[in-house]
Amino acid sequence: MAKYNILYIDDDASKHGLEQIQPMIDTLEESDELKIHPFQSGPFDKISESLIKIINDFDAIIFDYQLDDRANDEGERGNMKAPVLAQHLRTEITNTERSLKDIPFILCSTNEKLQKSFTSDSTSHDLFDLKFKKDSSNLLLVTKRIRALVEGYNSIERENDLSNLLQNNYDSLDNRILSKFLSDKKKLPAHEYANSILKDLVYINGPLIGHKTLAARLGIDIENSPHWPALLENYFMPSKYSGVFSGGWDKWWMDSVNDIFLELTGSSLSSIDARERVSLLTEKTECKELKLSDLIEGCRSYRYWTICKSYDKPLDPREAFRAYTKKEPKPWQDHIYISKPGALDRVGFEDGLEIHPNDYDRYRLTIENLKNEGTK
């Protein structure tokens, strides 16, 4: 298996600060798939010139968000945040006269710094293909995703046919998805393909859905269903996404899931509730140990179709409020939902969860009705 060289720019990549980031580096290198090369931050003009000279030697760049906290070994302090440097490098990469390698950009920082600065700066979000926290408990998954990004960029450099990149007939998708890449004009840079595929398809439910949403729509409690892996492997594997970046994210084509369920059971997935879905799957397949997901306390409907952001449990969107997101979902993308019990108890709100403005009046009215009932 090839080992990829990853440049890691951090103001702690100095003799005085390296011990603070070494544990993270060691974990990212643990699987022997990546080699992390620390690079000291410093004044913008100096390090940007140095980076342009060496960028073709690397397969991806990890940027610490805060590049101006600590002076480097020469006593020079950085004078910018990661988005400024990343934007400059993207511009230089796009300049065809430079012949620079287009590679994934990844952002890391402490959660506190990301919350305070980066999350409120939506103009910077498209510069990075992946974001993670330095103190994440799942850095091995980060390693897997960095590798998938590198391999995805390599695939995009070789291929510009969307059906081949997605390993699915592009004509079966909403024709607004990735439409800017259909022009016969010169191929757009790899990072533009990557950004659109990741953020229009992979990172948010829509034509592709995630593992937990798939389980919710089938009605299955993953943790208490011993035959869940076998159900996926033996029956729903044809619906699994195998296109670009699939090595880092497990996703399923929803239209294919619908077709497989109909073929297996003779029923439309959306026309029956979770109790019937699980009953039919245990009847029509060899997977008998499948448990129905329980209702969220305070909910009544088993027509699960999404996940409650407060409780991370299956939910009927009709018993929920939409959550506010920095970017409004596109027409082919699903909203994020908060169950009514979760919203009323404000579970997760301390971490930034909010009611969507278009649902706020309904949320407020629900609270008022409950108060009025309590005074009767």
Side-chain angles (χ1 to χ4, degrees):
M1 182 179 288
K3 181 181 288 190
Y4 295 117
N5 290 305
I6 312 300
L7 191 66
Y8 173 32
I9 307 170
D10 196 319
D11 55 356
D12 282 327
S14 65
K15 62 184 179 182
H16 302 294
L18 190 59
E19 64 180 16
Q20 297 190 40
I21 59 174
Q22 194 62 52
M24 185 191 80
I25 292 174
D26 291 342
T27 305
L28 292 176
E29 292 183 335
E30 188 174 310
S31 65
D32 208 35
E33 297 179 13
L34 308 178
K35 177 61 180 175
I36 309 298
H37 301 264
F39 182 95
Q40 293 183 48
S41 180
F44 174 81
D45 290 344
K46 182 176 179 179
I47 68 166
S48 60
E49 182 178 341
S50 298
L51 287 168
I52 288 170
K53 291 177 180 178
I54 65 173
I55 195 170
N56 285 353
D57 296 329
F58 296 95
D59 299 297
I61 301 177
I62 298 174
F63 298 79
D64 176 45
Y65 178 71
Q66 201 89 14
L67 295 175
D68 54 3
D69 270 354
R70 184 192 295 273
N72 61 23
D73 290 340
E74 287 73 45
E76 301 168 319
R77 187 182 294 273
N79 55 355
M80 72 287 175
K81 303 289 191 294
V84 174
L85 183 59
Q87 180 62 73
H88 174 73
L89 293 177
R90 282 291 188 218
T91 301
E92 293 300 312
I93 288 169
T94 305
N95 181 355
T96 55
E97 295 180 3
R98 285 280 197 180
S99 298
L100 298 178
K101 189 176 177 181
D102 204 355
I103 57 178
F105 284 4
I106 298 147
L107 185 72
C108 76
S109 191
T110 63
N111 188 44
E112 181 182 358
K113 289 178 181 177
L114 282 176
Q115 287 290 345
K116 283 185 176 179
S117 300
F118 180 75
T119 51
S120 61
D121 181 15
S122 59
T123 60
S124 299
H125 292 189
D126 288 345
L127 291 170
F128 302 98
D129 303 293
L130 177 68
K131 299 183 289 291
F132 71 92
K133 295 182 290 185
K134 287 182 177 181
D135 57 353
S136 171
S137 61
N138 208 351
L139 287 175
L140 292 179
L141 176 60
V142 173
T143 298
K144 177 182 175 182
R145 289 180 170 173
I146 292 174
R147 181 180 182 86
L149 288 173
V150 172
E151 293 175 347
Y153 266 70
N154 291 342
S155 296
I156 292 168
E157 290 287 3
R158 297 190 300 265
E159 177 67 71
N160 61 5
D161 182 86
L162 290 174
S163 293
N164 290 337
L165 285 174
L166 299 176
Q167 289 294 292
N168 189 45
N169 181 9
Y170 175 77
D171 292 336
S172 67
L173 300 179
D174 186 315
N175 60 17
R176 293 168 292 186
I177 304 174
L178 307 177
S179 59
K180 70 178 181 179
F181 302 109
L182 298 178
S183 171
D184 292 331
K185 298 178 183 178
K186 189 174 182 179
K187 183 180 176 181
L188 293 171
H191 67 263
E192 292 200 30
Y193 277 83
N195 185 273
S196 292
I197 292 171
L198 289 167
K199 294 172 184 177
D200 284 354
L201 281 173
V202 174
Y203 284 167
I204 187 167
N205 286 330
L208 289 174
I209 61 170
H211 187 257
K212 290 182 179 180
T213 300
L214 173 62
R217 292 183 183 181
L218 294 178
I220 295 169
D221 179 343
I222 298 176
E223 299 298 326
N224 295 295
S225 295
H227 283 172
W228 169 247
L231 182 71
L232 294 183
E233 181 69 28
N234 298 331
Y235 297 97
F236 286 94
M237 193 54 64
S239 67
K240 190 171 185 182
Y241 176 62
S242 59
V244 67
F245 306 122
S246 60
W249 290 266
D250 290 334
K251 306 288 285 190
W252 280 261
W253 291 107
M254 189 59 213
D255 60 346
S256 178
V257 171
N258 283 330
D259 292 342
I260 291 171
F261 187 86
L262 180 61
E263 184 177 350
L264 280 174
T265 68
S267 296
S268 169
L269 186 63
S270 61
S271 67
I272 57 178
D273 71 20
R275 294 169 294 188
E276 297 169 282
R277 297 168 198 166
V278 175
S279 177
L280 284 170
L281 286 171
T282 54
E283 176 188 344
K284 302 294 185 179
T285 72
E286 298 299 316
C287 301
K288 307 304 180 185
E289 294 186 60
L290 300 174
K291 183 180 182 300
L292 171 69
S293 286
D294 293 329
L295 290 168
I296 293 171
E297 186 175 354
C299 291
R300 298 179 179 180
S301 174
Y302 282 94
R303 287 190 173 273
Y304 302 147
W305 206 251
T306 189
I307 299 292
C308 169
K309 194 67 175 175
S310 289
Y311 296 119
D312 199 31
K313 292 183 178 181
L315 174 69
D316 180 344
R318 296 174 300 179
E319 291 190 307
F321 304 102
R322 286 173 293 176
Y324 169 73
T325 52
K326 296 292 183 183
K327 286 189 176 182
E328 190 72 7
K330 294 178 179 177
W332 60 85
Q333 297 172 332
D334 296 347
H335 277 273
I336 295 171
Y337 288 90
I338 309 167
S339 66
K340 286 184 179 179
L344 295 174
D345 289 338
R346 301 184 66 80
V347 178
F349 282 47
E350 68 280 4
D351 296 322
L353 195 59
E354 298 179 41
I355 301 295
H356 192 286
N358 290 349
D359 277 7
Y360 193 80
D361 285 344
R362 185 164 62 90
Y363 168 65
R364 188 179 59 185
L365 182 61
T366 301
I367 292 174
E368 290 298 321
N369 288 340
L370 286 174
K371 287 181 178 177
N372 292 336
E373 289 177 7
T375 59
K376 290 180 180 179

